[in-house]
Amino acid sequence: MSYTFEILGVSPTLTFFNQHQELLQQQQPSGVEYLGNRKCTLDAFVASVETVSPYRGWDVDRVVDTVISFWMNNSESIQYWKHRLQDAGSENLLVARVGDIKSLQAAFESLLGT
């Protein structure tokens, strides 16, 4: 299985929590997980994916490798989001998405109605 990881943006903590709860209440489980962290660090996101991967039945090592690869290849983007998180203040989270590629593709297709 192949995985993907990307940083999506900055969100107020309460908004992220409410959106996450709505996703959890959906009938069909998806192979996509949204992560919120107060810090823009590799360690914070690795810890997050190590927590959710077993629950999702994902290969933890491959998911961690995906996050590390993103971090190694996107330094400008990471710096950008690190600054946006600092500018937003302590009541906000940096939001990222991790998931298996097939599930993410299915989610996008359902949004497009195809």
Side-chain angles (χ1 to χ4, degrees):
M1 189 178 305
S2 296
Y3 301 97
T4 182
F5 174 87
E6 60 189 321
I7 296 173
L8 301 176
V10 176
S11 172
T13 303
L14 189 56
T15 301
F16 174 78
F17 177 77
N18 288 334
Q19 290 291 326
H20 201 261
Q21 290 297 51
E22 287 179 21
L23 289 172
L24 290 174
Q25 292 175 358
Q26 290 179 351
Q27 295 289 357
Q28 58 217 29
S30 73
V32 178
E33 184 71 37
Y34 294 89
L35 310 169
N37 279 303
R38 293 191 186 281
K39 295 181 183 177
C40 182
T41 65
L42 174 58
D43 291 344
F45 281 107
V46 166
S48 294
V49 299
E50 286 177 336
T51 301
V52 299
S53 294
Y55 168 74
R56 293 282 186 179
W58 293 340
D59 180 338
V60 177
D61 292 335
R62 290 187 70 192
V63 177
V64 169
D65 287 346
T66 300
V67 174
I68 292 170
S69 177
F70 176 88
W71 223 260
M72 299 298 291
N73 295 311
N74 296 284
S75 61
E76 288 181 22
S77 175
I78 292 164
Q79 287 303 312
Y80 172 82
W81 288 115
K82 185 175 187 172
H83 292 300
R84 296 299 67 78
L85 181 61
Q86 288 172 344
D87 292 344
S90 63
E91 296 298 318
N92 293 279
L93 300 172
L94 185 62
V95 179
R97 176 178 55 215
V98 64
D100 71 80
I101 291 177
K102 288 182 181 180
S103 293
L104 188 58
Q105 180 181 5
F108 287 150
E109 288 174 355
S110 74
L111 287 173
L112 297 173
T114 59

